[in-house]
Amino acid sequence: MILTLLAAAPLVGAVATAVLGRVRSDEPSAASPAKAVALAASLVPLVIALVALGRYDLDEGGYQLTTQHEWIELFGAHYALGVNGIGLTMVLLTTVLTPLVLLAASGDRLDRPERMPTYLALVLVVEGLALAAFSATDAFLFYVLFEATLIPLYFLIGSFGGPNRSYAAVKFLVYNLVGGLLMLAAVVGLYVVSSRAGDASFLLSDLQQLDISTTTERLLFCGFMAAFAIKAPLWPFHTWLPDAAAQATPGTSVMMVSVLDKLGTFGMLVWCLGIFPDAADWAAPVIIALAVVSIVYGALAAIGQDDIRRLVAFTSVSHFGFIILGIFAFTTTSMAGSTLYMFNHGLSTAALFLVTGMMIARRGSAGIDDFGGVQKIAPIMSGFLLVAGLSSLSLPGLAPFVSEFMVLAGTYTRSIPAAAIATVGIVLAALYILIMYQRTMTGPLSDDARGVTDLTIREKAALAPMVVLIVGLGFFPQPLLNVINPAIDTVASHVGVGDPEPRTPTQINAPAPEGSGTEEGGH
Amino acid sequence: MSQLSLLGAGLPAADLPPIAAPDLEYALLAPLFVVAAGAVLGVVVEAVWPRAGRFTAQVVLALATVVVALADTIWVYTDLDVVDTERLGRGQVGGEGAVSIDGPGVFTWGILLVFALLSLLMFADRRLDGGLSAFTGRAADAPGSASEAEAVKARLEHSEVFPLALFALVGMMLFASSNDLLTMFVALEVLSLPLYLMCGIARRRRLLSQEAALKYFLLGAFSSVFFLYGIALAYGYAGSFRLSDVATAVGSRTGDEPMLLGAMALIAVGLLFKVGAVPFHTWTPDVYQGAPTPVTAFMAAGTKAAAFVALLRVFFVAFGGASWDWRPIFWIVAIITMFLGSIVAVSQTDAKRMLAYSSIAHAGFILVGFAGAYVGPAGADRVTSVSSILVYLAIYGVSSIGAFAVVAVVRDGNGEATHLARWAGLGHTAPWLAGAFALFMLSFAGIPLTAGFIGKWSVFSAAWAGGLWPLVVVGVLMSAIAAYFYVRVIVLMFFTDPVGDGPSVVVSGRLTTVVIAVAAVATVALGVVPGPLLDLAQHAGALVR
């Protein structure tokens, strides 16, 4: 019930925002009630998510706060919600980021200012659908929500983005639809397999019990994985992301990269590994190779960008490489690291997109060469950029470092070459962030950048909580890991590969509580 | 008997074979009779009613007929007997073996009547074009002639379209439930002839409309002949027109194999023409574009539904035993239909032609479910080929009528502004209308939470269950191509600025607005809560022979 409320609150807020925006749009202070309503509406899910966190019993683990109703009986589809540690982490990320995005986005200068309420409402719709998708425990429901998120995001990119937005929006949609439709074929196949085994059911717990023949399992895995790999995005399916991020508004980019793209990695971890563990094991070498290529390619491509937004997009390709690498290394350390990375990457990329968005809005250009010496006139903005950038390059003491270290440490026990090549990504990350910082912020103030002003209070308020969280989780990641670890143990036992014999004891993991597996847990 | 003996003067009555009066199931066949009676009454009204109120009288009569028939259809549906306990079936063969009043057939009656109701509201809307209907005042006048101008000035109207539509409707209903091939042919002609005529009487762009009618008539007649030749061969093979007798002959493989293959091929040509499948699709874009938009809507939804159910009946019942002979052909037809429909639609610049190619692509998607030929396991409740196609047809028809209704209200000084360039920026000038059209496009593209997704899901799952997973994968990839052109229209409406003075949208077309609203609500509702429709189609059970 609480999860239903959680997902419904932003959707109701979206309707309220759109309606109130319409009512008051005749007056000069056009969208201000809509802005306040949207912000308030996004705080409600945050409160609900915190309540959910409080009510989630960490010792028990597994899926909790569950709701289950028949939805489409003939298809075996249920309206079934529930979260485990992974889902809860993603829910927290989404609910934390959305208010900050709305706060930052309410200052965006749109082509048509009167459409601000629509813009904010669509962001809330994305939030609602994402929250529902992260807590869905029925494959059909998850698929429906996974695909449905495309529509509001498509309108966000296409209606409110830069000059080339319509191309970017269509490219975004077509790429994601191809993946989604391949997943649709796999969902259909899953229905057929499930209905042959008895009564058709799409519940995760039922699907995990399903006995699928090897070939079918591999085919179905490929269908699911295609959707998630395009979404995440994994090289070579990433090309939609830089275009979309370069055209979208910063707020849209955050919702897209920090929240919705996590559905891809979340899907791999929960759905691919949950339903097709053997096929995942079979495909792991290829996916690990692609993930390593993603890490290096994304970093190299980021170094070569002139456009700040494309640069940030390519850093995400690299970071998603780390996340996917950790998931398919199949060690508890690396998978827990990946889950933590999903949260931390969400924070650091959101901060990076928002602060660069503020820079770009002030300068009127996204070219790195159009800035220079901005630090002198906008020290606070430059400070935020530095912290966000350093977190993106995984500086020790900031949150992403912990997760990146865990991914690499876990991968190392599985595959030394993969871990070794991936480590190159860290070095390259230092290059792309620091070169960008150096060229935009340091040196003599360029004449063109003279008009840049420092951040307003509203913008500081949007960025500060992210920085606090990045620093806080950098020093003290354990509370979040306590939420994540039991769920990861369940996934790992389900995959059944098991951790390799430790060559060095790792203390990051809390000892796995015995019997923490739930009824949905593996065999 | 006594009459006959009078006619056969000189012959003793006992020499004549006794001819029993047909024993009809009036209660079950009542929906057909109601629609036919409404149509005949419409002709009488046309003859006797004073001109002043004739249009209104026809509208009221036609709508009342459809509503009564719909109510009766629901009653018949709930009252069908359960037969065939192994695999659920409902209904019985009636009309001396000519008609099969079974679950799928009656379900199709229901959706055809709903389509007719929505389309007739569009027929009746006279606010869109300065107080005149979408049909020309006097079809006999040459386009652009003085007498045409006179007819416009006198505000003449062809109110015959209402009885014609009802005749076409009764043909469709009979087509979907015929149990022998000859009845099917008669029904095919009954549904086609009024449509040929209605295509040619558009008020605007009359030459295009007349061209469409002529093309439709010539090609339609041509395909009817194929169909008829196929029937003849089937009779030669089986010695009977009845589908069940043909099935028996096919099952025992008595007779001449080439004759059977010829019969299947020729009948398939005739039926695939009606559903608009490649390579028999070439009439579709021209006719959809030229016909008056309300007629296009009625035809797109109704003909497709009736023809697909007839296709199911012929191939699942009569030729079911030879499915390994015909299934591979249908795989190929399905693939090229999806491919060509989607690819060619991308390059269309006219809204109606784009929707026509979209309808071709959808015929391909339905054929995927058809080629699966999945009847479900005995005793279990599964999505079968029949139930999935029924669901798809219902959903596609409603969205399709909604889309054509939007086309009908996007107008400029010269009537409908069908060129897509004129639609640029519609999202800013008429957000609700453009939103509805975008919704229909998303439904056609099969995006979740719209009805189209449920339809697509059903046919794909039937195909997969029938063992055709490669066809499903091809199908989803074709959906992606199709999605591209649906999305292109959304881009045009919402993300492109209007060129010059955009189209003026007549929002005062009250009846058409009702149609758009109903279709939009249904598209969302069936996407979010598809359970009742699915259960209804599932409840229909198998085809009764």
Side-chain angles (χ1 to χ4, degrees), chain B residues 121 125-128 409 506-517:
Chain B
L121 288 176
D125 199 330
R126 289 199 286 181
R127 286 162 164 263
L128 293 177
V409 295
V506 182
V507 276
S508 59
R510 218 176 278 155
L511 294 174
T512 311
T513 310
V514 168
V515 174
I516 297 170

Side-chain angles (χ1 to χ4, degrees), chain B residues 277-470:
Chain B
V278 180
F280 314 106
H281 66 286
T282 44
W283 61 277
T284 317
D286 290 339
V287 174
Y288 276 30
Q289 186 187 17
T293 306
V295 175
T296 313
F298 179 53
M299 190 164 62
T303 311
K304 196 166 292 257
F308 257 111
V309 178
L311 191 71
L312 281 173
R313 228 174 251 290
V314 172
F315 281 87
F316 280 32
V317 175
F319 300 131
S323 70
W324 287 109
D325 292 319
W326 55 257
R327 277 177 76 185
I329 301 296
F330 279 96
W331 304 349
I332 296 168
V333 172
I335 290 174
I336 58 173
T337 304
M338 289 187 289
F339 184 74
L340 208 99
S342 308
I343 292 284
V344 180
V346 172
S347 63
Q348 296 307 311
T349 53
D350 182 281
K352 284 168 88 175
R353 285 184 85 83
M354 193 272 289
L355 288 172
Y357 279 104
S358 138
S359 98
I360 294 171
H362 282 281
F365 292 125
I366 302 176
L367 281 173
V368 170
F370 178 84
Y374 183 63
V375 293
D381 213 16
R382 291 299 152 66
V383 180
T384 64
S385 284
V386 173
S387 69
S388 70
I389 288 175
L390 292 179
V391 168
Y392 202 113
L393 289 170
I395 286 169
Y396 170 76
V398 170
S399 298
S400 199
I401 291 177
F404 281 111
V406 174
V407 172
V409 295
V410 179
R411 307 174 79 94
D412 56 16
N414 297 320
E416 288 161 8
T418 54
H419 197 281
L420 280 174
R422 308 275 301 163
W423 287 49
L426 195 66
H428 304 307
T429 52
W432 283 102
L433 191 73
F437 198 70
L439 181 67
F440 299 134
M441 293 297 111
L442 293 175
S443 175
F444 286 152
I447 303 290
L449 297 180
T450 63
F453 168 69
I454 301 296
K456 217 159 246 179
W457 203 93
S458 306
V459 291
F460 286 161
S461 77
W464 191 308
L468 291 187
W469 69 263

Side-chain angles (χ1 to χ4, degrees), chain A residues 71 112 147 154 159 173 185 195, chain B residues 382 448 464 487 491 495 497 528:
Chain A
W71 177 27
R112 297 173 207 273
E147 286 286 88
Y154 168 70
S159 298
L173 192 70
S195 63
Chain B
R382 291 299 152 66
W464 191 308
V487 164
V491 168
F495 307 155
D497 290 324
V528 179

Side-chain angles (χ1 to χ4, degrees), chain A residues 5 7 77 259 391:
Chain A
L5 276 179
V259 177
S391 79

